[in-house]
Amino acid sequence: MAQLLNQATSPGDSEVAAGEDYRSKGLSKNSVGLLGSAVIGLSTVAPVYCLTSTLGPTVSEVGLQMPAIFIAGFIPMLLVAFAYRELNKALPDCGTSFTWTVKALGPRIGWLTGWGLMTATVIVLSNLAGVAAEFFYLLIGELTGSQAIVDFGSSTVVHIVTVLLFIAIATAISYRGMTATKWFQYSLVTLQMVVLALFIVMAMVKSGDAPGGGATSLTPSLEWFDPLSVNSFAAFTAGLSLSIFIYWGWDTTLVVNEETTGQHKTPGRAALIAMLVLVSAYALTAVAALMYAGVGEEGLGLGNPDTADNVFAVLAGPVLGPLGPLLFLAVLASAAASLQTTFLPAARTMLAMSTYEAFPRSFAKVHPRFHTPGRATVAAGVATGVFYAVMVVVSENVLIDTIYALGLMICFYYALTAFACVWYFRHDLRRSLRDAVFKGVLPALGGLMLTAVFFQTMRDMWDPAYGSGSSIAGMGSVFVIGVGVLALGLVVMAVMQRRSPAFFRGEVLTRDTPPLVAED
């Protein structure tokens, strides 16, 4: 891995467009450094939130092979990260996947890639707000010893109102820019990682003393790291889809490239640092949780369907004892921090699409004081609130279903970005072994892996039993969410094609077109 990192940051790399005059869209220049960029990546991923939401569903799919699946999910992410790194060095643009796929694969594929990124972000924002609201009342109830507060927060109306309030606060913070809350993000990310490390150590130490009620302490085995031991290919791809979800967000380090010092190289380095931290934390947490609670389907067991969407809520007290509220606080901090930073990719992708006439021009407005895409940020906040409110009514298990659906959309736009890298640099692949590997072979492998997961997942999620087991009009609710949102993109694209024919004729953004200036 060290060798890969060294190669990924070698100074001799050619930068296809490094000499071009990349004019500003109005964003704040040089406001993020290497550490800040890596923290943004970790904050957006929200590792503690991801773990409490996915430990249960992953165990239900792959059982004891959860550590293997978490590591397997890291592999395509790493391969795609090299594609992002190479494209960013040549084309540092806040539109990232949208801009790059338009230049490489054409306006329609590029537009759908941007749509996939934006909608995935809106969906995960709603999920983050839901988890934050749930743990907000759990934390208060734990601190006050009042079950009434927890019950009050579980009311559908109260829950929705709290979620909408959290979304409004996060929208307002994101509207004011990143630098205003830099140290706040550092604090929340540090809190997450310290509490997660404490949980890992305590779970391992107490693994032989786990209480009854479904918990069965286990002895670590090499079989846990063998993906071939998963019962079926369908279970493997379902688990892999969840694993891909828990890494998603590292590419935010690239989305803020126009605001980063050393914009050609720093974002790629920050992404790799964030991913190495994540894979280590996830593998250790998976092992510790299995050692302590096992895979039972009752009580504290990780396979309990009643606690699948919120594992840390039931493990906090038994594992950490009087320090249990710290885990509630860490999940709340994780969701709150990510709720703010996750607005970045949605708003900046919308800004880029608007700047290049692929979206209504009004979203290209940048706030003259805060240097943020203000209107795009507000639009993302409104879309998030509406989506969550509707999904709570439609699906009783909205948190689990949206997580499964997210895996589909993540695979969609990551795979297209990886293939865009290969095609964009196709004339460079014979120049050197390094170009062949990092611009061709590795991105292609990552794209193929994610494509396979995409189609297998789409096939499996038609079954109403997939995910939470709920259905809409006879179809699995996960299928309706995932495929429905992508299909909606085709409708919106058809509308935009009538409004902005020049973009779809390939007259605005081509391989040789320098970025345009956003209107203030």
Side-chain angles (χ1 to χ4, degrees), residues 57-63 69 227-243 404 452-463 465-467:
T58 305
V59 164
S60 70
E61 297 290 350
V62 301
I69 291 298
L228 298 179
S229 297
V230 178
N231 292 332
S232 67
F233 184 68
F236 176 83
T237 55
L240 194 60
S241 179
L242 290 166
S243 180
Y404 274 97
V453 174
F454 175 86
F455 283 109
Q456 181 65 38
T457 301
M458 188 166 59
R459 174 186 175 185
D460 294 339
M461 64 172 49
W462 175 269
D463 187 348
Y466 192 88

Side-chain angles (χ1 to χ4, degrees), residues 393-417:
V393 175
V394 172
S395 173
E396 295 179 358
N397 300 282
V398 62
L399 293 179
I400 291 180
D401 286 341
T402 52
I403 286 174
Y404 274 97
L406 274 168
L408 188 74
M409 282 174 281
I410 294 166
C411 289
F412 175 77
Y413 86 83
Y414 273 172
L416 286 175
T417 306

Side-chain angles (χ1 to χ4, degrees), residues 231-371:
N231 292 332
S232 67
F233 184 68
F236 176 83
T237 55
L240 194 60
S241 179
L242 290 166
S243 180
I244 288 169
F245 162 73
I246 66 176
Y247 290 102
W248 179 58
W250 57 266
D251 53 313
T252 303
T253 62
L254 284 301
V255 171
V256 297
N257 50 21
E258 294 188 35
E259 300 152 88
T260 304
T261 53
Q263 62 179 353
H264 293 283
K265 294 185 177 181
T266 299
R269 293 172 178 173
L272 291 172
I273 291 171
M275 291 180 66
L276 289 175
V277 172
L278 289 169
V279 70
S280 302
Y282 289 156
L284 288 171
T285 303
V287 171
L290 287 174
M291 288 176 62
Y292 181 83
V295 295
E297 297 182 359
E298 298 179 357
L300 299 181
L302 298 179
N304 186 345
D306 296 329
T307 62
D309 63 345
N310 198 346
V311 169
F312 285 159
V314 296
L315 292 183
V319 173
L320 297 180
L323 298 178
L326 281 178
L327 193 53
F328 292 148
L329 179 61
V331 176
L332 178 59
S334 180
S338 185
L339 190 58
Q340 181 204 338
T341 55
T342 305
F343 272 99
L344 300 177
R348 279 149 183 78
T349 299
M350 204 179 300
L351 168 66
M353 293 181 73
S354 301
T355 300
Y356 301 127
E357 302 179 25
F359 227 55
R361 291 285 292 171
S362 60
F363 293 115
K365 300 287 185 181
V366 173
H367 195 282
R369 176 184 173 190
F370 301 126
H371 301 286

Side-chain angles (χ1 to χ4, degrees), residues 371-392:
H371 301 286
T372 60
R375 188 169 296 184
T377 301
V378 172
V382 171
T384 298
V386 171
F387 176 83
Y388 191 82
V390 171
M391 287 310 304
V392 166

Side-chain angles (χ1 to χ4, degrees), residues 16-17 20 22 91 102-104 420 423-428 509-514:
V16 174
E20 292 186 15
Y22 278 82
L91 306 164
V102 169
K103 282 179 168 285
W423 189 250
Y424 187 86
F425 293 114
R426 64 190 183 278
H427 300 302
D428 297 351
L509 182 61
T510 67
R511 180 184 178 94
D512 301 319
T513 304

